[in-house]
Amino acid sequence: MDHTTPDAYTVRAAVALAVRAPSVHNSQPWQWHFSGRTVELRADPRRRLRHADPDGRDLLVSCGCALHHFTVAAAAMGWAAQVHRLPDPARPDLLARIDLVPHDTRDADIALAAAIPRRRSDRRRYAAGPLPVRDEIFLQKSASDRDAVLRIVTEAPRRSALTGAATEADGLHRADPDYEIELAAWSGRHYAPDGVPARNAVRAPVSPHELRVREFAGARLPDTAGPDGAALTVLATAGDTALDRLHAGEAASAVLLTATRLGLASCVYTEPFELTSTRALVRDCVLDGRLEPQLVIRVGHLPPGAPPLPATPRRPISEVLRPVAHPYGAGLPIPDQLRGR
Ligand SMILES: Cc1cc2nc3c(=O)[nH]c(=O)nc-3n(C[C@H](O)[C@H](O)[C@H](O)COP(=O)(O)O)c2cc1C
């Protein structure tokens, strides 16, 4: 038995955890390929949201989240991931080539991987009260370890600039029929393997002082009572290249899994960054024009007694994991253990 190459079961199990990563509208815009100890993550451009995500930022950030989830899952299973990001300039869809090498799993690897199936995008209002300083430090470090900055927005003028940008983005999107049709196609369903299910979506607040959540179709999730006490954070990068966006996704995944491990609820929100004008507003008024905003992450505690949320479904593994195509064009045979779901 070869102990330096993961078997197909291990790769499949790690990808099954990787695809639990958050993605914009639960679009899951990725494909995974593997051969021996090498796994490739490729973007699936057919799943880009043409109207919500015209320049593909959310797609890259989503794939970055899945990339980080994969490395966390692999580490818990005894494989360290050596990641080569955007390794082939002629193939921009090839986002990462990952070589798996044997690794001594630590308790911290298992604790982080255990957060993957427990994490949810929780769009409800959170309880009042600041985050413990210790938690803030953990969250910020998980971003800074991945070339990103997690800015906790506390000052009133900055919070109202962020809230204003969100309200403006919502208004601009509402006036765009193509955006509305696309959103309706990707939300409000009950048992689809992708999209945001009705049971996970709450109605957006009407108060101009609260950060809007994206208004998905058919929202059926009852909101919690009281004003939203979530800590508002903006995850930002120094630049805005494809590599920066990939790093932003990896950092977002690290922040979200760390939050889950700390017992905190969380949710990503990117609507203001999908439009040039509202993105510029956040860059200038929240980040002093020095950093590129990539995601808002709300973090906090749910009010006592709030019922747990169901997990959002994912596409079957057989749709997203394939053996690497043979260099001469013919596909390698799919091992029996990778057929089916
Ligand atoms: C790049 C990106 C953008 C997202 N934007 C939003 C958003 O604007 N509003 C929102 O409620 N959720 C947003 N999400 C969360 C997704 O809707 C969520 O991850 C998906 O529905 C799967 O659900 P889960 O995170 O509970 O597994 C975003 C996620 C990512 C990765």
Side-chain angles (χ1 to χ4, degrees), residues 78-132:
W79 298 93
Q82 297 177 343
V83 181
H84 311 279
R85 293 168 188 81
L86 300 169
D88 185 350
R91 292 186 48 203
D93 66 310
L94 177 55
L95 302 182
R97 188 168 284 139
I98 308 157
D99 291 324
L100 294 171
V101 296
H103 162 75
D104 287 329
T105 300
R106 295 160 304 165
D107 289 349
D109 297 327
I110 292 173
L112 206 56
I116 291 178
R118 288 192 286 119
R119 185 203 58 80
R120 305 275 185 272
S121 291
D122 199 323
R123 302 178 176 88
R124 296 174 290 185
R125 293 183 171 101
Y126 301 164
L131 290 181

Side-chain angles (χ1 to χ4, degrees), residues 30-210:
W30 44 61
Q31 281 289 334
W32 299 83
H33 297 252
F34 77 98
S35 171
R37 78 190 56 172
T38 302
V39 177
E40 288 184 358
L41 167 61
R42 301 184 194 166
D44 184 346
R46 294 165 305 176
R47 296 192 147 250
R48 180 171 66 81
L49 306 173
R50 288 173 51 209
H51 302 288
D53 186 25
D55 70 352
R57 169 196 312 283
D58 283 343
L59 180 147
L60 280 174
V61 172
S62 301
C63 289
C65 289
L67 174 58
H68 178 259
H69 267 53
F70 180 84
T71 64
V72 170
M77 293 174 194
W79 298 93
Q82 297 177 343
V83 181
H84 311 279
R85 293 168 188 81
L86 300 169
D88 185 350
R91 292 186 48 203
D93 66 310
L94 177 55
L95 302 182
R97 188 168 284 139
I98 308 157
D99 291 324
L100 294 171
V101 296
H103 162 75
D104 287 329
T105 300
R106 295 160 304 165
D107 289 349
D109 297 327
I110 292 173
L112 206 56
I116 291 178
R118 288 192 286 119
R119 185 203 58 80
R120 305 275 185 272
S121 291
D122 199 323
R123 302 178 176 88
R124 296 174 290 185
R125 293 183 171 101
Y126 301 164
L131 290 181
V133 174
R134 191 193 67 125
D135 290 1
E136 287 186 0
I137 292 170
F138 277 131
L139 295 173
Q140 288 180 312
K141 181 163 177 356
S142 55
S144 60
D145 283 349
R146 285 160 194 87
D147 290 344
V149 174
L150 188 73
R151 189 61 57 79
I152 301 174
V153 186
T154 49
E155 305 95 326
R158 291 180 201 267
R159 282 179 74 96
S160 80
L162 187 57
T163 307
T167 306
E168 197 173 319
D170 175 71
L172 290 167
H173 273 155
R174 294 270 148 226
D176 176 355
D178 290 331
Y179 171 89
E180 290 280 279
I181 291 167
E182 183 181 75
L183 187 77
W186 281 99
S187 57
R189 288 175 289 170
H190 294 280
Y191 301 107
D194 48 17
V196 178
R199 62 179 178 275
N200 292 79
V202 283
R203 283 187 201 292
V206 285
S207 160
H209 305 295
E210 262 187 82

Side-chain angles (χ1 to χ4, degrees), residues 22-26 58 61-62 119-121 123 196 214 216 267-271 312 314:
S23 62
V24 62
H25 290 18
N26 197 22
D58 283 343
V61 172
S62 301
R119 185 203 58 80
R120 305 275 185 272
S121 291
R123 302 178 176 88
V196 178
R214 199 192 295 265
F216 292 106
C267 188
V268 165
Y269 171 68
T270 53
E271 198 170 2
T312 299
R314 294 294 188 270

